[in-house]
Amino acid sequence: PALAGSRAGAPDEIAVTGAGLSPDGQPLASENLTLDMSAPGLSREDAGRVLMFTVKSFAEETAKFDISTMHDAVKLLVDQTVTRVTSLRSTLTDDRLKLQFQPIVSLATRSLHHYEALARFPNGAPGPTIAFAEEVGMVHDVDLLVCEKTLEVLATDPALHIAVNMSAASLGSDIFVVAFQRLVGRNPA
């Protein structure tokens, strides 16, 4: 018998309780799940992002999973998320994010008013990549890098006027605002 307060009897307790709740009276089995997140380039912070995103995605998944497919579904979601996070992180750290500048024209004068800096990612359309960055909490890094690259362009031609779109999540983050202020303070263009 298990000592009072011990969890040694937990699997039996789960099975007995589950049998009472199960429509067919069958005992529930408990199972551990170990997730491998030792991917190269995956920091501890990004591993936490992977877990949070995976749990949220799994909870919101509309497909129905039965108890026998949950293990595989969670593992697949983790593997896919690790791949996406490490790919985005390497895009940011390996200087593969590029900027394009969209001219913005004044309707009143029909002349160039300013440019808008647009992030371009090597793997395709920016919309899904930025949406993913927002969901996993990496959009601050994207926004700071876009600002940094824009300031580099402004340093070469201070007469330019360039607007940068930033995520509401970034603007609402005190940590981002402090990092942004430091960046602008180092590069007064």
Side-chain angles (χ1 to χ4, degrees):
L3 298 173
S6 168
R7 297 311 301 159
D12 293 335
E13 185 179 326
I14 291 170
V16 170
T17 302
L21 298 174
S22 175
D24 60 3
Q26 295 296 313
L28 294 178
S30 63
E31 183 179 319
N32 289 328
L33 173 64
T34 301
L35 302 171
D36 180 18
M37 290 198 287
S38 59
L42 188 68
S43 68
R44 184 179 180 146
E45 184 178 47
D46 285 346
R49 289 180 170 123
V50 167
L51 284 175
M52 294 298 293
F53 180 80
T54 300
V55 169
K56 183 176 181 260
S57 296
F58 190 77
E60 293 173 352
E61 184 64 42
T62 56
K64 297 197 182 341
F65 297 105
D66 62 34
I67 199 73
S68 66
T69 62
M70 280 185 160
H71 180 276
D72 294 336
V74 169
K75 184 175 179 345
L76 178 64
L77 281 170
V78 166
D79 291 347
Q80 290 172 343
T81 306
V82 164
T83 298
R84 291 177 72 190
V85 165
T86 55
S87 174
L88 179 55
R89 179 63 63 206
S90 71
T91 295
L92 300 177
T93 59
D94 297 345
D95 197 31
R96 292 185 294 134
L97 181 138
K98 303 299 179 199
L99 296 183
Q100 288 185 341
F101 297 94
Q102 174 72 45
I104 306 298
V105 176
S106 166
L107 292 176
T109 65
R110 296 181 185 243
S111 63
L112 177 68
H113 186 268
H114 67 277
Y115 293 93
E116 179 180 354
L118 304 172
R120 294 296 178 251
F121 298 89
N123 60 348
T129 303
I130 290 176
F132 177 72
E134 287 177 336
E135 289 182 72
V136 296
M138 293 175 69
V139 75
H140 306 351
D141 299 327
V142 172
D143 286 346
L144 278 174
L145 185 56
V146 169
C147 290
E148 183 177 342
K149 287 178 169 289
T150 300
L151 287 169
E152 289 170 4
V153 170
L154 287 171
T156 65
D157 186 354
L160 287 174
H161 296 271
I162 303 174
V164 174
N165 286 330
M166 291 187 241
S167 167
S170 291
L171 295 174
S173 163
D174 292 339
I175 293 170
F176 172 84
V177 170
V178 168
F180 176 74
Q181 288 171 333
R182 283 189 191 134
L183 177 65
V184 171
R186 286 193 323 254
N187 301 287

